[in-house]
Amino acid sequence: MTIKSVSSSGPTQTTPHLGLVCITASERVRYRTVTRTRLLQFDIEKQQDILRPLYQDNIVRLNAAIDFCHEWDIRLYRLTSRLLPFADDPVGQAVLPEFHALLAETGQRATALGIRVVVHPDQFVVLNSDSPEVVANSIKILTMHAHILDLLRQPRSAWATLEIHGGKGDRAARLVETIQALPDGVRSRLALENDERAYGAQEILDVCRAAGVPMVFDAHHHIIHEGLLGYDDPSIAEMLGLARETWQPPEWQLVHISNGRGALADIAHSDLIAVMPEAYRDAPWIEVEAKQKELAIARLREEWLPAPAQRTGESVTPRRTSWE
């Protein structure tokens, strides 16, 4: 398979950093979890007994993820949003202090190895919901993730990006207002991503400018939202450049790439990346949202980057993307 790199105008950077999202296609990086239904079957003491080994194990697994990224020369890692389940609940908060030292050591290892750590909370975060309860819970979730980043000794800046979507459509003013009132640990790291339905790239850019937070540009969401015919549309390079202006410094700009699984505008992600916008050669940090994870990164390094990056790992023969 040869990856198509569609052309665009603009400056060229030859060494974008390709990021791993949460887990690996192999069994090297996996995390444990527990459902709320199961946890609530027990009394508080037993709940804490369940969470302690789970937290311990997941921090060990995070260290394994850091090791994996170092071996493969991957300098960007998206932390799973389920690293420490129920860390925003009293039962988890009672257990968490026992792991402060281990979390600090883990985050400092990532920093020492030159690995940037970011996080993308789940779809339940809606800062501009009509429901005050949903907004309050969203802030609670974001505060928990910011606290974990603090415990990992990650800076309170967009380097340790805390990225979310815009939430409810036609609520831009409310979104800006809520963002401006967020705790410093959240707001200092927050970035907003365009999506395929409620907030297109221009809309979320306007929100980011008004709120004073960076924009994470997603080319695949942009194609779907705007009904574009491909990654060669000039608006991709244009929006990439405009989004970069929201990052301070611009070299911290973070973007996403994915391809549709069955068709160009398919929301479901493909196993690999078959088509890359040429403009993305000028994107400093790229999260690769493909089902085959590190295999997709390996193929991009082999066929898209001008010079393959040095890495350690098995040779791979990824599958073709069906709509290619």
Side-chain angles (χ1 to χ4, degrees):
M1 179 181 77
T2 300
I3 295 168
K4 299 175 183 177
S5 184
V6 295
S7 62
S8 70
S9 59
T12 297
Q13 174 173 313
T14 58
T15 55
H17 297 296
L18 304 178
L20 177 67
V21 174
C22 300
I23 63 172
T24 55
S26 71
E27 293 297 317
R28 285 284 302 275
V29 181
R30 288 289 189 272
Y31 294 94
R32 293 175 54 202
T33 191
V34 60
T35 65
R36 181 174 296 274
T37 299
R38 179 174 182 270
L39 195 68
L40 293 182
Q41 291 176 352
F42 305 100
D43 61 29
I44 296 297
E45 184 176 349
K46 178 61 176 177
Q47 290 177 23
Q48 294 175 355
D49 289 341
I50 292 172
L51 290 182
R52 282 191 183 91
L54 191 155
Y55 284 10
Q56 174 76 31
D57 199 12
N58 276 0
I59 297 171
V60 169
R61 292 172 187 228
L62 174 56
N63 276 276
I66 293 169
D67 291 339
F68 181 88
C69 289
H70 181 57
E71 290 171 18
W72 279 59
D73 193 28
I74 294 172
R75 293 188 55 202
L76 172 63
Y77 178 63
R78 183 196 288 180
L79 189 68
T80 174
S81 61
R82 296 175 177 83
L83 177 69
L84 303 172
F86 303 97
D88 56 345
D89 283 355
V91 61
Q93 291 168 356
V95 171
L96 191 56
E98 301 172 26
F99 299 94
H100 283 187
L102 186 55
L103 285 165
E105 179 183 344
T106 300
Q108 288 165 343
R109 280 191 66 235
T111 299
L113 293 172
I115 298 170
R116 181 180 181 181
V117 176
V118 301
V119 65
H120 193 334
D122 57 35
Q123 71 274 14
F124 298 111
V125 173
V126 183
L127 290 178
N128 53 359
S129 172
D130 293 328
S131 166
E133 291 78 14
V134 171
V135 173
N137 188 59
S138 298
I139 295 173
K140 179 182 174 184
I141 292 170
L142 290 176
T143 302
M144 177 266 292
H145 285 300
H147 183 49
I148 291 172
L149 289 170
D150 283 342
L151 294 176
L152 289 168
R153 298 295 192 267
Q154 298 305 296
R156 287 191 171 189
S157 71
W159 175 260
T161 315
L162 186 55
E163 46 191 296
I164 63 172
H165 291 287
K168 293 274 291 185
D170 300 320
R171 303 287 195 283
R174 184 175 300 175
L175 179 57
V176 171
E177 180 182 357
T178 304
I179 289 172
Q180 291 176 336
L182 288 171
D184 179 69
V186 176
R187 192 182 187 283
S188 59
R189 297 178 172 115
L190 194 71
L192 301 180
E193 176 191 353
N194 60 297
D195 62 70
E196 67 272 9
R197 292 190 181 93
Y199 289 91
Q202 184 60 58
E203 294 166 302
I204 210 68
L205 174 65
D206 292 341
V207 172
C208 288
R209 286 170 169 169
V213 299
M215 171 183 169
V216 175
F217 178 61
D218 187 308
H220 185 55
H221 290 329
H222 181 60
I223 280 178
I224 296 173
H225 187 276
E226 303 299 326
L228 304 180
L229 298 179
Y231 288 90
D232 57 347
D233 192 277
S235 66
I236 288 181
E238 178 185 7
M239 292 309 308
L240 181 71
L242 292 172
R244 180 174 296 122
E245 295 174 0
T246 66
W247 289 84
Q248 296 299 327
E251 293 78 15
W252 288 1
Q253 183 185 26
L254 182 66
V255 304
H256 292 176
I257 188 62
S258 58
N259 287 167
R261 186 170 186 84
L264 176 67
D266 191 346
I267 295 174
H269 292 170
S270 60
D271 287 343
L272 303 166
I273 304 298
V275 184
M276 286 288 285
E278 183 66 17
Y280 268 28
R281 293 192 188 281
D282 192 40
W285 302 87
I286 306 174
E287 290 188 63
V288 180
E289 296 186 320
K291 295 294 186 182
Q292 288 298 304
K293 305 292 183 176
E294 75 275 18
L295 307 187
I297 292 173
R299 181 57 70 190
L300 285 170
R301 286 176 165 180
E302 291 166 3
E303 296 192 358
W304 180 66
L305 288 179
Q310 288 285 61
R311 64 170 176 82
T312 301
E314 299 177 355
S315 61
V316 297
T317 307
R319 296 188 291 275
R320 297 177 66 88
T321 299
S322 58
W323 56 263
E324 181 190 4

